[in-house]
Amino acid sequence: MRRSTHHRAINVVVLGPALHAVSGVSTHVNMLLASDLSASFHLSHFQVGSEGRQDGWMRRICRLVLSPFQFAMMLIRERPDVIHINTSLVPRAYWRDIVYLVIARSFRKEIVTQIHGGALPQSFFDRPFLRWVLKKFLRASHVVVVLSSEEVRAYRTFDERVRVELVPNAIAVTEAMTNHRESNVDAPLQIVYVGRLVRTKGVFDALVAARQLKDEAVPFRFQIAGSGPDEMEVRREILRLGLGTDVLMLGPIAGDAKTTLWLTSDVFAFPTFHLEGLPYTILEALAAGCVPVTCAVAAIPDVMRNGQHGIFIPPHDPAAIAAAIRRLAENRDELRQMSDAGRRRVAEQYTVDRLVAQFREIYAGMV
């Protein structure tokens, strides 16, 4: 339903996790709220999910029960024009957010549903009734926003009646990320892993590759930044592999410390086989000239070309990781060329200005 908005700014409510949560979705929500979109639209945030919360089980149950009612009251009180749902095709997020979509539709609100990774729709459910429910969920949105060209094809094939738009993630490219970067000509290769410490991100495969590099007498220094549920296991694996003097655990980092780490590292070892969407760490690494060695999953092949901006390796293949890093260690001219190409790629295609322009067009076309 279209309504007149000539006399007031379009009111957009963005659903997502706590703004202080450490996650890609919260990063995206914060970016939207702080962007130039606020000059054209009134943006507000409604918190959903458990990320960024320290609730006990009783408070979690109360929140699950009360949050939909609080959302309905917000719709009555603020009368927003557009509801922007940020979700993923994983069971927990999908079944949670379908409740908010139903409530928003009952108030005849226009809906943007943005999918941040997870399964492709064809493989999410195998039962016909649940697949029908998923199609109804997708069709209830004015537009479904996805992060990769692979997802665009998958969603359009799943249901041609769903309007799908490709809006890749973006990053704020700071001055430090665009400053001159010294080329590492002959010093030991500086390898970095930045991200959650979980097995699906490939961090254990990267450690096995580091052991192989050490056995082959390839000089390197490996720094790991982040935290997560597998942190203690990562520390034990470092000791088991005899890498205690070669691998440094930095813990979570942010701000200037994170920028400095990217700018002083040569290779981003990120052999993820997780259903990523589009990892911000890939964009950050490329923007700083840190060459990714990663897997061609989700939206990553949209961003980087193999041999041009970084190197793709198969999942679960430490030997391939070691071979890629050895190749860059032995050919510093190629390392520099990939570094420069990655920085240009992000500056041309993955800036906040591009993200804002796409969402400005989407929001304006809904009311």
Side-chain angles (χ1 to χ4, degrees), residues 9 33 58 86 135 159 186 194 199 248 283 304 327 352:
L33 296 177
M58 182 64 74
N86 290 277
K135 290 183 178 183
D159 190 336
D186 52 12
V194 178
R199 186 169 294 276
L248 178 63
L283 298 179
M304 54 177 278
R327 165 183 163 182
V352 175

Side-chain angles (χ1 to χ4, degrees), residues 31-256:
M31 193 173 296
L32 290 179
L33 296 177
S35 74
D36 290 343
L37 282 170
S38 59
S40 306
F41 307 94
H42 180 267
L43 302 179
S44 59
H45 172 241
F46 184 86
Q47 183 176 344
V48 299
S50 59
E51 288 179 306
R53 303 183 194 256
Q54 301 296 326
D55 294 343
W57 67 270
M58 182 64 74
R59 292 190 65 181
R60 188 175 298 115
I61 291 174
C62 291
R63 173 172 49 80
L64 289 173
V65 172
L66 293 177
S67 181
F69 291 100
Q70 293 169 337
F71 180 61
M73 293 302 297
M74 182 274 297
L75 295 180
I76 294 171
R77 183 177 63 252
E78 299 186 14
R79 299 173 59 197
D81 302 293
V82 176
I83 306 300
H84 182 162
I85 299 173
N86 290 277
T87 191
S88 304
L89 269 198
V90 297
R92 183 176 179 180
Y94 169 76
W95 289 114
R96 176 197 68 210
D97 292 331
I98 200 171
V99 174
Y100 297 103
L101 181 138
V102 169
I103 294 171
R105 288 297 295 169
S106 70
F107 281 86
R108 298 184 179 181
K109 302 302 178 183
E110 300 288 355
I111 300 170
V112 177
T113 297
Q114 185 166 5
I115 310 293
H116 296 266
L120 295 176
Q122 290 87 345
S123 60
F124 192 48
F125 290 126
D126 55 7
R127 296 182 181 180
F129 173 73
L130 294 179
R131 290 168 67 88
W132 176 82
V133 172
L134 176 57
K135 290 183 178 183
K136 295 288 284 185
F137 171 79
L138 297 171
R139 288 181 213 151
S141 300
H142 178 87
V143 59
V144 174
V145 173
V146 296
L147 303 178
S148 72
S149 55
E150 178 189 19
E151 290 173 304
V152 171
R153 292 188 293 269
Y155 279 86
R156 289 176 178 169
T157 301
F158 182 66
D159 190 336
E160 62 184 11
R161 288 166 291 185
V162 176
R163 178 187 168 192
V164 185
E165 294 284 349
L166 173 61
V167 183
N169 286 339
I171 60 170
V173 181
T174 65
E175 183 178 354
M177 302 290 255
T178 56
N179 282 350
H180 175 71
R181 175 189 174 100
E182 293 294 333
S183 297
N184 184 350
V185 178
D186 52 12
L189 208 65
Q190 303 296 305
I191 306 168
V192 67
Y193 171 95
V194 178
R196 292 190 73 228
L197 300 182
V198 292
R199 186 169 294 276
T200 55
K201 300 282 190 176
V203 60
F204 292 96
D205 293 332
L207 288 173
V208 174
R211 177 68 250 186
Q212 183 172 332
L213 291 171
K214 185 171 183 176
D215 291 342
E216 296 172 355
V218 177
F220 70 91
R221 183 179 184 229
F222 190 5
Q223 299 183 86
I224 295 177
S227 61
D230 293 338
E231 180 173 351
M232 292 308 300
E233 191 175 352
V234 168
R235 292 181 181 276
R236 286 193 292 268
E237 184 71 353
I238 291 170
L239 295 177
R240 187 188 72 80
L241 292 170
L243 295 171
T245 60
D246 306 283
V247 180
L248 178 63
M249 296 284 286
L250 302 177
I253 62 170
D256 291 343

